[in-house]
Amino acid sequence: MSSVSWDEAVEQVCGEGAPFHFHEEIINGVPTKVFDTAPPVLRNLFDLARGRGDELYIVYEDEQYTFAEVMAQVDAIGAMLVDRYGIAKGDRVAIAMRNYPEWITSFAAITSIGAVAVPLNAWWTPDELQFGLTDSEAKVLIADQERVERLVPVLGDLDVAVVGVRLPDDAPEGVDRFEEVLPVGAPLPEVEVDTDDDATILYTSGTTGNPKGAVSTHRAIISALLSFACRAAINRARGEGQAGSKEAEGPAYRPCSILTVPLFHVTGCVPVMLGSFISGSKLVIMYKWDPERALQLVERERVTQFVGVPTMSWDMLEHPDFAKYDTSSLQAVGGGGAPAPPELVKRIEGNFSRGRPTIGYGMTETNAYGPGNAGDDYVSHPTSTGRVVPVVDLKVTDPDGNDLPPGEVGEIWFRGPHLIRGYWNRPQETAETIVDGWLRSGDIGRVDEEGFVYVVDRAKDMVLRGGENVYCAEVEAAIYEHPDVHEAAVFGLPHERLGEEVAAAIMPKPGHTIDPDELKAHVGQHLAPFKVPSQIFVHDEPLPRNAAGKILKRELRDSIVAGEGS
C-alpha cells in the first residue's frame, strides 16, 4: 500500500502552486470550482497535437496517421465546413459513423470552428437518426456508408447537407463524397469561441420516449479531461502510477490506449479520444469488438491503457488463447459503463503481469467524469467506484433533497465545472435534473467516511446492458404499438456477460396471442438492436400492480430470477 495518504496526495497535486490548483468562479449564477490552468476551448487542446509532428497518433487496422497528418485533415474539414457549407459559430454538425479516423478529425474540426458537434448513435435505426438530425437542427451530417444507406429513404425530408466518408464509387444522389469536397491543405478558419459556448450535444436515452440531447460547453469537457488527469496525478503522488503499483520487471512503453467503445459514447469521446489529444498517447482503433483481435492489438501495439465495459475484460480473460498473447505492456485494465463484479477485479489483478484493475463511474451528463477506483484502493474496496477529485463535489440526499451523512443510502448528486449546461430544447427536464447547480444522477448509493462511493441501485427505470443505457419507457412505447399487446413491462435481468439484459413481460389483448419472435422483430423496426428485449415472458393474467396501479417490475424480475416466471 502507498505510504502517502489520499489527502496528502491531493494537497501535493491541488494545493497552492500545484499543477491542478483551482479557484472559484460564478458560472450561470452558481459558485463553481475551476482549474487555474484550464485552456479556454477545445481548439487549444487540439493545438497541443501540432507540436507532436510526425509522431504516430492513430492506428486503425493497417492504416497509420501521425499527429501532423491528423491535424492537416482537421484543418481541411474546418475549411470545408465554413467555406463550402457556410457553417458558423453555434451551428450544429452531426457525425454518424463507426469508429473511423475521420470521426476524430471531424469532431476536432467542428468544435475548433465554434460549431457544435452532434455525435449520433451509429446503431440507431433510420427513424432514430432522423430524429437526432431534426431535433438538433443539424445543417451538415458527416456519415459513413452504412449510415448514409440507412438515411437514403428520408434524405429528401431532411434539410441537411450530407458528406459521405469511405463511400463506394456509386455515392447516392445528393451525398457529397468526402474526398471530393475536402480542400486538402487549406488552413483552419479563425473563429472567436468562448469557454462557455456550446461544444457538443450527446444524445442519451429519454425516460419517456425520444432521446434527449445533453449539451456540454468547452469548459465542461476540458474540466472533465483535467479531472481525469488530476486523478492520475494523485495516483502518481501516492507512488502508484496510473493504476496503482504492481511489482513487475519490464520496459517502459509509450502511453497507448485502445479504443474499444463507440466514439459516440461519452467514454469513447472524452476520456479515451480527447484524452489521447491532451496526453499525446497513441490511439489504436478497433473495427469492432473482438476479444482475440483486442489481445492481438495489445501485443502488437504495446497498449498500456485498456478502457471498456466490464464485459470486454471478461471476454479477454475467458478467451481460450489469452495466455498465448503478451499483455505485459498493459498498466490499467477496466473502464466503466456498468459495475464490475468483485470476482472480475480479482481476476484482472491476478492475470495481468502489470495491469491493474480500474473502474470509473460517470455519465453523459458529467462528461464521463465521476468517482474512480484503481490499483490497491480497488483491490481493497472492490465494490466501490472510488473517490472524486476536489474540484468536483458529490453528495447523497434523501428523497426531499436533504444531505445525508456518510454511510446513509440515497440519491447521488454531482456539482462541478464538468457538468452539462442542460438538455437541448428541454427546459423542464433540465430543471428536473439540475437543481441549484447540482446534477441529480438518478443513481442510489452511499459514501463512506474515507470518501469511497458505492452505487447500489438506480432510481431511474433503466436497464444497463453492456454499458448501454436502455430506458424501459422507450422500449415499452414501441411494444405498445403492437396491435396484440394489452400490458407491457420492461425491466432488466441479471446477465453474466452483459451485466443486465432487456426483458419484457407481456399480457396480450383478450382473444389475441403473442409470438415473442414476431414481437422482437416489431420492436427492432423502431429501436436499435441493443434495446430489443432478448427475453419475453407472456402472461395470461394482468401484470402485478401496486395500490397506485403501477406495475411491480421488481416483483416480476424477482419471480423470473427465482424460476417462477411464465
Side-chain angles (χ1 to χ4, degrees):
M1 296 292 289
S2 171
S3 60
V4 178
S5 73
W6 173 266
D7 290 339
E8 289 169 336
V10 166
E11 180 59 29
Q12 289 182 33
V13 170
C14 302
E16 190 73 38
F20 292 95
H21 186 256
F22 53 88
H23 61 279
E24 193 172 273
E25 290 184 19
I26 304 298
I27 303 173
N28 295 326
V30 177
T32 307
K33 301 171 189 171
V34 296
F35 290 109
D36 295 351
T37 57
V41 295
L42 289 170
R43 183 166 178 157
N44 302 136
L45 184 155
F46 301 130
D47 282 344
L48 295 173
R50 298 184 189 277
R52 302 186 187 277
D54 293 333
E55 193 175 344
L56 181 61
Y57 176 29
I58 293 175
V59 175
Y60 171 70
E61 296 297 313
D62 295 325
E63 302 173 16
Q64 296 188 339
Y65 302 88
T66 66
F67 280 99
E69 289 168 336
V70 167
M71 292 312 300
Q73 188 170 99
V74 169
D75 295 347
I77 295 172
M80 173 189 77
L81 291 171
V82 171
D83 298 337
R84 182 181 181 88
Y85 298 104
I87 294 298
K89 188 171 101 166
D91 288 342
R92 275 75 62 202
V93 178
I95 306 171
M97 66 177 90
R98 67 164 59 248
N99 287 0
Y100 285 132
E102 291 88 349
W103 199 110
I104 296 171
T105 52
S106 296
F107 181 96
I110 294 163
T111 53
S112 290
I113 60 170
V116 181
V118 185
L120 300 180
N121 190 318
W123 295 339
W124 274 355
T125 64
D127 286 349
E128 291 169 313
L129 289 169
Q130 184 174 8
F131 169 81
L133 291 168
T134 304
D135 182 70
S136 66
E137 300 173 88
K139 290 190 174 182
V140 176
L141 167 66
I142 304 174
D144 63 6
Q145 179 184 353
E146 187 175 350
R147 264 43 64 175
V148 167
E149 289 175 350
R150 285 186 204 171
L151 284 167
V152 163
V154 297
L155 280 181
D157 301 326
L158 296 171
D159 184 20
V160 60
V162 182
V163 181
V165 170
R166 301 189 180 224
L167 296 182
D169 293 336
D170 51 342
E173 185 178 349
V175 176
D176 293 334
R177 298 176 61 84
F178 180 76
E179 60 272 22
E180 292 177 359
V181 296
L182 189 70
V184 177
L188 185 66
E190 292 293 333
V191 181
E192 284 290 327
V193 184
D194 185 76
T195 189
D196 290 314
D197 286 341
D198 293 345
T200 60
I201 300 175
L202 271 66
Y203 278 91
T204 180
S205 295
T207 55
T208 56
N210 287 325
K212 53 186 185 291
V215 185
S216 286
T217 63
H218 288 259
R219 185 200 300 271
I221 297 167
I222 290 169
S223 296
L225 288 167
L226 291 180
S227 296
F228 281 110
C230 179
R231 186 164 72 207
I234 291 170
N235 284 342
R236 287 193 297 272
R238 300 181 73 198
E240 295 189 344
Q242 171 65 24
S245 59
K246 181 187 275 191
E247 294 301 324
E249 295 297 324
Y253 294 103
R254 176 190 167 192
C256 175
S257 297
I258 184 167
L259 182 64
T260 63
V261 293
L263 283 163
F264 59 75
H265 274 182
V266 70
T267 300
C269 182
V270 177
V272 181
M273 185 269 283
L274 290 177
S276 68
F277 268 107
I278 206 169
S279 67
S281 298
K282 181 170 67 171
L283 185 62
V284 179
I285 303 176
M286 295 191 69
Y287 177 74
K288 66 177 181 179
W289 173 246
D290 175 82
E292 183 163 30
R293 181 60 175 158
L295 289 165
Q296 291 170 353
L297 289 170
V298 166
E299 178 179 274
R300 188 185 85 181
E301 301 296 335
R302 311 316 293 155
V303 173
T304 61
Q305 307 290 324
F306 181 93
V307 177
V309 293
T311 55
M312 294 173 173
S313 299
W314 273 122
D315 288 348
M316 288 196 299
L317 288 165
E318 290 291 329
H319 194 276
D321 292 330
F322 172 78
K324 187 177 85 175
Y325 292 97
D326 180 2
T327 58
S328 63
S329 60
L330 282 172
Q331 299 172 20
V333 180
E343 178 61 24
L344 177 58
V345 178
K346 190 186 303 180
R347 287 191 61 182
I348 291 172
E349 177 71 5
N351 284 275
F352 292 94
S353 60
R354 284 197 283 181
R356 307 296 309 275
T358 68
I359 193 75
Y361 160 52
M363 310 161 61
T364 302
E365 288 85 349
T366 67
N367 277 291
Y369 183 76
N373 208 355
D376 291 340
D377 279 348
Y378 198 12
V379 172
S380 62
H381 300 74
T383 59
S384 172
T385 190
R387 296 180 270 207
V388 291
V389 298
V391 77
V392 172
D393 295 318
L394 182 148
K395 66 180 181 179
V396 174
T397 72
D398 66 17
D400 295 321
N402 300 309
D403 294 6
L404 292 173
E408 293 289 315
V409 173
E411 185 180 3
I412 298 169
W413 292 35
F414 291 101
R415 183 174 65 181
H418 63 310
L419 303 181
I420 62 169
R421 70 158 178 83
Y423 297 112
W424 183 253
N425 292 334
R426 303 280 187 98
Q428 181 177 340
E429 293 191 50
T430 298
E432 291 170 355
T433 301
I434 302 176
V435 180
D436 297 328
W438 287 89
L439 185 135
R440 302 184 58 177
S441 72
D443 292 322
I444 305 301
R446 60 184 174 86
V447 183
D448 69 15
E449 295 283 356
E450 295 180 280
F452 283 93
V453 180
Y454 298 80
V455 181
V456 299
D457 203 353
R458 284 189 297 277
K460 295 175 181 175
D461 190 13
M462 183 181 80
V463 179
L464 194 51
R465 179 194 181 277
E468 291 283 352
N469 291 348
V470 180
Y471 281 90
C472 300
E474 183 183 17
V475 183
E476 288 165 355
I479 290 174
Y480 274 117
E481 291 184 17
H482 192 283
D484 296 326
V485 172
H486 179 65
E487 284 188 335
V490 173
F491 47 90
L493 287 178
H495 189 279
E496 181 177 338
R497 181 176 172 275
L498 297 170
E500 286 184 306
E501 62 180 327
V502 183
I506 308 292
M507 187 185 112
K509 292 178 180 176
H512 293 246
T513 58
I514 296 290
D515 179 338
D517 289 336
E518 193 270 333
L519 182 58
K520 291 178 186 178
H522 163 81
V523 175
Q525 292 175 355
H526 299 274
L527 301 176
F530 68 88
K531 301 177 186 176
V532 177
S534 52
Q535 294 206 53
I536 292 179
F537 302 88
V538 180
H539 292 246
D540 296 329
E541 298 179 351
L543 303 182
R545 295 176 181 267
N546 63 15
K550 186 176 180 180
I551 295 176
L552 299 172
K553 295 186 180 184
R554 187 180 295 275
E555 181 178 311
L556 284 167
R557 182 179 63 197
D558 291 348
S559 68
I560 291 167
V561 171
E564 302 166 8
S566 58

